[in-house]
Amino acid sequence: KLKVGQKVQGEISGIVKFGIFVAFEGLEGLVHISEIAWGHVKDPGEYGKIGDKVEVLVIGIEGEKISLSMKRLVPDPWVEAAKTFKVGDKVEGEINKITQFGAFMQLNDEINGLIHLSEITDEPVQDANEVLNVGDKVKAKIISVDPDDHRIGLSIKALSAKKAAAKKDDDKEEKAEAKEEKAEKVEEEEAPAEESTD
């Protein structure tokens, strides 16, 4: 009778590091760790205890193996995030996690953005801990939004690069003006000489 797409009421019958087992109607299925919540789940034990009543969605049936989902019964916050966060936007938030490849910044309750090591400063950074600490409030620019992969890429250096680029443009304009003035001077100096050769 059980069908994919069906919602069932059950009870948590087991918690393991890769997910949560739920018993219902004399059957048992697994909510894999990736199907517990939309955000990153480190410990399935934080999402319930044995005996807790839960509602789950049947997402797969292979022989006697039943795959269940808890997260698909709530809206995907990344759909909203794709509308809210746009490439080029400046954002401000708190660093809430540091890993070997960069730092995560909290954008709202459910969404974090990643500042990759290469996007922290213009200087090469081997370890994000050298520059950032958990709890730091930082400003960054959104450089990529991928709702399918649940990823937002951020850059701190893009903001300083913008300032540098603006200064560069000013310098360029000054140089161009100086060049024009020089060219005009040269023309003025050469003009009489040309007349005399006619």
Side-chain angles (χ1 to χ4, degrees):
K1 286 192 297 182
L2 199 65
K3 289 187 179 72
V4 169
Q6 198 176 324
K7 281 185 206 172
V8 293
Q9 300 286 340
E11 198 175 280
I12 294 178
S13 55
I15 296 172
V16 289
K17 64 173 184 255
F18 55 83
I20 293 173
F21 284 99
V22 177
F24 60 96
E25 296 164 22
L27 302 166
E28 190 177 51
L30 172 70
V31 181
H32 187 265
I33 191 165
S34 62
E35 289 294 331
I36 293 172
W38 288 108
H40 176 69
V41 176
K42 216 158 71 176
D43 176 12
E46 290 173 5
Y47 293 84
K49 55 187 191 298
I50 290 172
D52 281 359
K53 299 261 185 290
V54 287
E55 187 178 33
V56 288
L57 183 73
V58 178
I59 57 169
I61 303 167
E62 284 173 51
E64 291 183 3
K65 193 175 155 215
I66 302 167
S67 301
L68 306 168
S69 175
M70 284 159 67
K71 76 177 187 185
R72 296 191 204 188
L73 292 175
V74 293
D76 181 354
W78 284 89
V79 173
E80 227 21 71
K83 295 179 203 164
T84 311
F85 301 109
K86 303 281 182 211
V87 171
D89 284 358
K90 283 184 205 160
V91 288
E92 195 171 347
E94 196 173 291
I95 300 296
N96 63 355
K97 188 178 170 195
I98 289 177
T99 67
Q100 60 192 39
F101 49 84
F104 284 93
M105 178 170 126
Q106 189 163 8
L107 296 171
N108 64 26
D109 288 346
E110 290 162 312
I111 307 286
N112 289 326
L114 171 67
I115 306 160
H116 192 269
L117 283 176
S118 60
E119 293 297 335
I120 295 174
T121 67
D122 291 319
E123 305 298 318
V125 176
Q126 299 299 322
D127 181 359
N129 284 298
E130 293 169 11
V131 191
L132 299 166
N133 298 300
V134 169
D136 283 357
K137 282 217 173 1
V138 295
K139 287 179 183 169
K141 185 179 177 182
I142 297 176
I143 52 171
S144 66
V145 178
D146 188 343
D148 295 332
D149 274 346
H150 291 181
R151 279 192 193 142
I152 289 179
L154 303 172
S155 174
I156 295 175
K157 81 172 185 186
L159 291 180
S160 53
K162 208 171 176 185
K163 283 180 201 160
K167 190 178 181 304
K168 218 176 184 181
D169 287 346
D170 289 347
D171 291 350
K172 258 191 201 162
E173 273 178 33
E174 277 172 26
K175 275 184 189 162
E177 281 167 17
K179 210 174 180 184
E180 272 175 33
E181 278 173 25
K182 204 174 175 190
E184 280 168 15
K185 255 191 188 164
V186 170
E187 273 176 27
E188 281 167 18
E189 283 165 13
E190 284 176 357
E194 277 172 15
E195 276 166 20
S196 62
T197 55
D198 280 352

